Amino acid sequence: MKITVNGNGLEVQEEVKHVKGLIDFLGLEDKPLIIEHNQQILQKEEHEKAVLENGDKVEIVHFVGGG
Amino acid sequence: MLTVGNYQFKSRLFLGTGKYPDFDIQKQAVDKSETEVLTFSVRRMNIYDPSLPNFLEKIDVDRYTFLPNTAGAKDAKEAVRIAKLAAASGRCDMVKVEIIGCDKTLLPDPVETLKATEELVAEGFTVLPYTSDDVVLAKKLEEAGAHAVMPGASPIGSGQGIINPLNLSFIIEQSKVPVIVDAGIGSPADAAYAMELGAEGVLLNTAVSGAHDPVKMAEAMKYAIEAGRLGYEAGRIAMKDYAVASSPEEGISVGN
């Protein structure tokens, strides 16, 4: 399956079924992050329910230094 | 105590988290400042290098109230999106509306700032818009439901201090919500001055992170803001044109 993550194309294995699976696949499970899936901002508890499909767009953001 | 919406803070210093030499110095500076509010930006994560450290991993996040900014947004729609992303972290419902309207001066777009403030208030956020020192706009932001207004002292990161104290005074005088001076503070004297004018707080970043010794400057800012506030509460003397002796003029035998 091919999806777009943070603007870049990403080929993910078939086992990756939902957003939570993608986070684990990328090794980001311990990171404080925020996900937007097809322009829909997800709460943490929704990560496991958000099913990924070919062509989906995912934004993975976090807090960085700023004033 | 500083009250912003449903939040109460003992410290009147809000500290930005950008551009410190390293995380250790930053952590020490945050500690010394005794701030309770840290600002952050929201950005894409580098997904290919999960080992990259993040400042949040260095601090006890539960000790602080997060004030994410909407920096990067060019209009109200983008600002609302960034605010909602930040809120989805589950860590905050406060937001600093920051919509830059001019890349050179980094001055805010007043129209989009007002629009974003209205929308975010309606969405239930605690909204602190960064604004220019425009007196009428500050009033309109308050009427739109802003929980505080944050006029700039001078352009972001310029360190020029308060270039229009009269406008700031007007904003402070008319405002029913706290006025937090945000941007342009360069030195402890600037921060103390803002507080003496009657500001309820100061938000600064570069003045500390860019100082030769950020840790010491963080402490200096803490004292400056406390001193300025105490001075404001105490009420300064009126200025006079001529000298008025402090020592008694009678009861001494010299000079006769």
Side-chain angles (χ1 to χ4, degrees), chain A residues 43 63, chain B residues 4-9 37-38 64-70 79-80 82-97 116-117 119-129 145-148:
Chain A
Q43 305 302 314
F63 287 124
Chain B
V4 179
N6 293 323
Y7 293 90
Q8 283 206 315
F9 306 110
V37 179
L38 294 174
Y64 301 98
T65 298
F66 282 21
L67 178 59
N69 65 37
T70 65
V80 170
I82 294 172
K84 286 181 177 174
L85 280 167
S89 70
R91 292 203 178 280
C92 45
D93 72 348
M94 279 215 299
V95 63
K96 166 180 163 175
V97 175
T117 298
E119 284 182 38
L120 289 166
V121 166
E123 295 270 358
F125 283 84
T126 301
V127 186
L128 297 81
H147 298 81

Side-chain angles (χ1 to χ4, degrees), chain B residues 159-226:
Chain B
Q160 289 194 48
I162 299 170
I163 52 175
N164 195 339
L166 188 64
N167 269 21
L168 274 188
S169 302
F170 289 155
I171 292 172
I172 288 163
E173 200 183 305
Q174 72 176 9
S175 187
K176 294 191 189 73
V177 295
V179 175
I180 296 164
V181 172
D182 175 10
I185 297 292
S187 73
D190 299 336
Y193 188 24
M195 297 306 292
E196 281 194 68
L197 288 172
E200 293 230 27
V202 169
L203 193 167
L204 52 85
N205 185 342
T206 313
V208 166
S209 67
H212 176 66
D213 183 340
V215 182
K216 206 167 260 184
M217 187 57 84
E219 192 175 13
M221 288 299 185
K222 178 191 80 168
Y223 288 127
I225 288 165
E226 285 175 5

Side-chain angles (χ1 to χ4, degrees), chain B residues 46-75:
Chain B
N46 183 342
I47 57 166
Y48 300 107
D49 192 358
S51 65
L52 279 178
N54 186 293
F55 181 58
L56 264 58
E57 294 161 11
K58 306 283 175 189
I59 53 166
D60 177 3
V61 289
D62 296 330
R63 274 180 56 192
Y64 301 98
T65 298
F66 282 21
L67 178 59
N69 65 37
T70 65
K74 295 278 181 207
D75 58 32

